[in-house]
Each structure stands twice: as C-alpha cells, then as structure tokens.
Amino acid sequence: MNLTLIALLCLLLTLVSYYGSKALYRRKQRVWFAPILLAPLVILVTVVVLKIPLASYFQYTHWLAALLAPATIAFAVPIYRERQLIKQYPITLSVGVIVGLLLGLLTSWILMQLTTMPAELSSSLMVRSVSTPFAIEATTAFGGIPELTAMLVLLTGIMGMLICEPLFKVAKIRSAVAKGVALGATAHGSGAAKASELGRQEGVIASLTMIFTGIAMVIMAPFFAAIIG
C-alpha cells in the first residue's frame, strides 16, 4: 500500500479513535472509555497488529502535536473568563499551585533517588505533574526528552483520574474548591476533565489551577533544574 495513503489512514484512525471514545465516554461515563485511555490503546493495537512503521504514523499525525502551541496560548481564555473566581479564591489557588508544583517535583526527585532509572527517564519524570504543553516546554531545562515526558504526563493524569475519588472519601474532602485545586495541580488535563464530572465549580477551579501550575513550572524550571543538578 502507498505510504502516503497509510499516513492519511493513520491520521484518520487517530481522529476517529479520539472522537469515538469521547462520544462513548459521554454516554457511558466509565473510566475505561475515557479518551485518554481508550484512544491510545486502539491506536497502539492497530499500529502493532498491522505493523505500521512509526515514520508513516507520524508523517501527518505530527501536526496534531503541533497544535499544542496554540492550545497553550488558548489557556488565556479561561483565565480571563473566570477572573472573578480568581479574585474570589486568590489564596486557595496560590497555595494549590505552589504546593502542587513543589510536591510534584519532590515526589519525582524521591523516586529518582529510590530507583536506578536511566538519566533520560529521570529527567523527563520531573515535570510529569503539569499539562503536556507546559511539560514539553519545561522538560528541556531538566534535560528530558519531550516524547517521553508526554507519556509520563499521560500516565500521571490517568492515575489521578483513577484514585482521586477514593482519596477524597478517605480524606473526607467535600469542598468543591479543594477537589478542583487538588485535581488541577496534580493530574493536569485529565484531572480537570474528572473535576468537571464532579461539578462545574470543581472543573473551573481545576482548569485554573492546572494553567497556573503549568505556567509556574515553565518559568521556574531552570531554577529547579539548577538546584537538583
């Protein structure tokens, strides 16, 4: 089969997998139908079974990754739209961002000390707790690999989605603001999506926390890298 045709079919597969899983998740509301889980699984199985070369898969799908740049700029929209909420909870959001950022870095550093992982993996691990556009930008300061960082961000988000509700119950956290801050600061985009399921306020707070945590990571990454290095 023509390689260009294969590349176009891969792009179609990616889009159909995402939008299909998104529609399914909207109807069924089961965590295993979440686009962040189901779409990559469908794509992975298809690529492996059909033995599609990665170069062919990325020939056109790399444009989807390029959309991360305008997506990052678009984060300014919810900040402006929800400016009244920011004024209402400035201390809560600030503390959430600072604590989430520092705990994400600290837990990654502790994991590095307790295990013998390759240098590329440990460097890419440092920014796993912020959203992909920010993580890819910040990981270069630590010497990480953007593609590996994106995968670690994905896994972190999935874990956050899976364990957040049991943790909230055990810790007896009932505040919508607290839930939103926790999910946004630790599980980034996946956490914000999960928070939106819990309630509108949770979702908005999670989105704002995710954005501010990501911005803080990009700004402070060279400083943190210098300390750790």
Side-chain angles (χ1 to χ4, degrees):
M1 186 182 294
N2 184 280
L3 292 179
T4 300
L5 179 59
I6 292 176
L8 286 171
L9 289 174
C10 287
L11 176 60
L12 180 63
L13 167 68
T14 303
L15 295 173
V16 170
S17 298
Y18 172 74
Y19 285 107
S21 58
K22 188 175 182 179
L24 185 61
Y25 183 68
R26 191 180 295 116
R27 292 181 59 187
K28 298 295 184 180
Q29 292 291 307
R30 298 289 186 272
V31 68
W32 47 85
F33 291 143
I36 197 172
L37 283 174
L38 185 58
L41 181 61
V42 171
I43 295 168
L44 177 63
V45 170
T46 303
V47 169
V48 171
V49 170
L50 298 182
K51 298 180 180 179
I52 298 173
L54 288 180
S56 296
Y57 176 78
F58 285 114
Q59 183 175 344
Y60 291 119
T61 55
H62 77 279
W63 292 110
L64 298 176
L67 292 174
L68 287 173
T72 305
I73 298 172
F75 281 140
V77 175
I79 292 176
Y80 176 77
R81 187 176 57 218
E82 303 296 341
R83 58 191 183 280
Q84 293 301 323
L85 196 59
I86 297 172
K87 294 177 182 178
Q88 187 176 354
Y89 300 108
I91 296 177
T92 303
L93 288 169
S94 299
V95 171
V97 168
I98 294 170
V99 173
L101 182 65
L102 294 179
L103 282 180
L105 288 166
L106 180 61
T107 52
S108 297
W109 181 81
I110 291 174
L111 188 59
M112 287 169 52
Q113 304 307 308
L114 296 178
T115 59
T116 53
M117 62 179 71
E120 296 85 357
L121 178 58
S122 60
S123 298
S124 302
L125 185 69
M126 295 304 298
V127 295
R128 63 183 172 79
S129 291
V130 298
S131 187
T132 305
F134 301 110
I136 290 177
E137 182 67 29
T139 194
T140 54
F142 295 95
I145 301 172
E147 293 80 7
L148 184 55
T149 296
M151 181 59 66
L152 293 169
V153 169
L154 175 67
L155 293 174
T156 301
I158 291 172
M159 288 298 298
M161 286 180 61
L162 294 175
I163 68 174
C164 65
E165 290 190 280
L167 282 178
F168 289 154
K169 290 179 181 178
V170 171
K172 297 181 179 179
I173 297 175
R174 300 183 179 88
S175 167
V177 176
K179 290 179 180 180
V181 168
L183 284 166
T186 58
H188 37 79
S190 301
K194 183 64 179 180
S196 296
E197 294 178 17
L198 301 178
R200 182 186 179 280
Q201 189 175 38
E202 288 92 331
V204 172
I205 290 292
S207 297
L208 291 173
T209 307
M210 173 193 73
I211 294 167
F212 289 133
T213 304
I215 293 172
M217 174 63 83
V218 171
I219 294 173
M220 298 299 295
F223 172 72
F224 290 132
I227 293 177
I228 294 173

